[in-house]
């Protein structure tokens, strides 16, 4: 899992500090540099982790943990802002790097016996040599659904949405539940309606902190909207040509809305 790049290898770097991404002067969050040009973090040489490739170059992550760099020409930006500002092809590598770093931060000790865990060198995992417990990065499946009724789409304002933003319904899959069951349960819990004609649409990793969004299209079957008032503050059927503020199209919510409304 750990990987030391060559001094002269031109690569992309993601540097994390606390819950922020380090942005170097004149660069995007994906810094294109040689390791030899990153002398200000040379003490982290043993912490370099390869997370994949980006534009035909290796991409490495370095997690400074709680350390805040005392450097000029450095800007710290939060992950959500970084994901919105980067090119679409950077989304997956940023999401992956963040989740890998978060996994390592939160698995230093064994959840079963409390001993210190060590990284496995041939797969992305942490292993306890005392009790043999092994952990892999956590991925939390979530369903997200666009519901259609004639020429209208169901959109809701979640408690965590920014002011005025309406989106498709979403929720975590519970233990022992199929994706389809999760869709029917979430929609019933959040807005009190039944849906039919469930069709799988697409998926998207969503690193806040480690969700895998699985998108579905569905049609209204029966029932009137009744919001739960906790997770959902408001929900309405919107005419396709009178949509409120909705998520950007790079997100799966935006894509589901686009696929339903044809806009
Ligand atoms: Zn253990």
């Amino acid at each position: 899992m750990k990987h030391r790049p060559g001094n002269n290898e031109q690569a992309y770097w993601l540097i994390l500090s606390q819950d922020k991404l380090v942005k170097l002067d004149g660069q995007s969050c994906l810094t294109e540099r040689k390791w030899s040009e990153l002398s200000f973090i040379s003490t982290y040489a043993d912490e370099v982790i390869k997370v994949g490739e980006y534009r035909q170059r290796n991409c490495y992550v370095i997690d400074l943990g709680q350390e805040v760099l005392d450097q000029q020409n450095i800007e710290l930006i939060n992950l959500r802002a970084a994901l919105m500002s980067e090119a679409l092809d950077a989304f997956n590598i940023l999401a992956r790097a963040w989740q890998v770093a978060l996994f390592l931060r939160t698995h230093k000790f064994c959840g079963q016996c409390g001993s210190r865990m060590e990284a496995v060198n041939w797969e992305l995992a942490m292993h306890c040599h005392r009790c043999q417990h092994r952990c892999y990065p956590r991925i939390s499946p979530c369903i997200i659904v666009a519901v259609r009724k004639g020429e209208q789409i169901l959109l809701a304002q979640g408690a965590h949405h920014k002011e005025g933003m309406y989106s498709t319904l979403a929720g975590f899959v519970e233990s022992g539940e199929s994706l389809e069951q999760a869709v029917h349960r979430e929609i019933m819990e959040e807005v009190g309606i039944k849906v039919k004609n469930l069709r799988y649409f697409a998926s998207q990793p969503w690193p806040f902190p480690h969700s895998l969004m699985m998108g579905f299209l569905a049609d209204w079957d029966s029932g009137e909207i009744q919001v739960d008032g906790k997770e959902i503050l408001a929900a309405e059927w919107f005419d396709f040509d009178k949509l409120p503020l909705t998520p950007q199209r790079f997100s799966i919510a935006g894509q589901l809305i686009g696929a339903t409304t044809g806009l």
Side-chain angles (χ1 to χ4, degrees):
M1 183 170 70
K2 300 216 167 152
H3 180 109
R4 194 178 295 224
N7 269 350
N8 289 315
E9 178 190 343
Q10 193 77 20
Y12 284 98
W13 297 86
L14 280 155
I15 305 163
L16 311 182
S17 168
Q18 298 183 325
D19 60 347
K20 300 281 199 317
L21 284 156
V22 174
K23 192 169 170 205
L24 301 181
D25 200 23
Q27 298 266 349
S28 80
C29 291
L30 277 155
T31 305
E32 192 181 4
R33 290 278 166 92
K34 294 173 184 168
W35 173 239
S36 57
E37 295 168 333
L38 297 169
S39 55
F40 63 99
I41 48 169
S42 58
T43 53
Y44 287 88
D46 291 337
E47 310 291 324
V48 175
I49 293 163
K50 184 182 168 185
V51 287
E53 289 180 6
Y54 179 67
R55 297 186 179 173
Q56 281 84 51
R57 296 194 192 285
N58 285 329
C59 182
Y60 300 101
V61 64
I62 294 183
D63 183 9
L64 309 182
Q66 294 308 306
E67 184 184 348
V68 179
L69 291 169
D70 183 21
Q71 277 269 131
Q72 285 190 327
N73 306 329
I74 277 182
E75 198 186 331
L76 293 175
I77 61 171
N78 76 39
L79 179 65
R80 204 173 275 266
L83 285 171
M84 305 302 156
S85 66
E86 294 291 338
L88 199 57
D89 63 344
F91 185 93
N92 281 10
I93 197 81
L94 268 170
R96 178 169 165 78
W98 185 264
Q99 288 178 84
V100 167
L102 196 71
F103 166 64
L104 297 175
R105 278 186 191 181
T106 54
H107 290 79
K108 290 182 176 150
F109 296 94
C110 177
Q112 184 160 262
C113 77
S115 302
R116 185 166 277 280
M117 295 187 102
E118 281 181 30
V120 178
N121 60 13
W122 57 274
E123 63 176 352
L124 184 53
M126 294 293 278
H127 186 80
C128 172
H129 292 282
R130 187 167 172 221
C131 76
Q132 310 307 318
H133 181 50
R134 186 170 287 202
C135 292
Y136 296 89
R138 184 168 155 195
I139 298 169
S140 304
C142 285
I143 52 87
I144 180 162
V145 200
V147 184
R148 178 184 182 136
K149 182 184 183 186
E151 296 300 298
Q152 292 184 311
I153 182 170
L154 175 65
L155 296 172
Q157 191 170 23
H160 305 293
H161 287 153
K162 72 175 181 190
E163 186 91 21
M165 169 78 80
Y166 278 75
S167 188
T168 46
L169 294 174
F172 286 105
V173 179
E174 294 186 348
S175 299
E177 194 174 51
S178 70
L179 297 176
E180 293 80 0
Q181 287 169 329
V183 168
H184 291 292
R185 177 185 51 75
E186 277 290 339
I187 293 177
M188 179 54 74
E189 281 176 8
E190 294 187 343
V191 293
I193 65 167
K194 281 190 175 180
V195 295
K196 61 184 179 186
N197 300 335
L198 208 54
R199 286 99 69 202
Y200 174 72
F201 176 72
S203 64
Q204 185 174 62
W206 197 248
F208 306 104
H210 35 59
S211 298
L212 176 62
M213 307 302 290
M214 283 174 279
F216 289 86
L217 298 168
D219 296 326
W220 173 80
D221 182 30
S222 61
E224 298 298 320
I225 294 173
Q226 275 189 305
V227 296
D228 69 2
K230 286 177 282 181
E231 286 185 69
I232 300 298
L233 304 178
E236 286 176 51
W237 295 107
F238 287 94
D239 292 341
F240 291 169
D241 58 357
K242 289 181 192 145
L243 295 182
L245 179 65
T246 56
Q248 289 172 296
R249 287 300 153 93
F250 83 89
S251 71
I252 193 159
Q255 291 162 31
L256 283 164
I257 294 166
T260 301
T261 62
L263 299 172

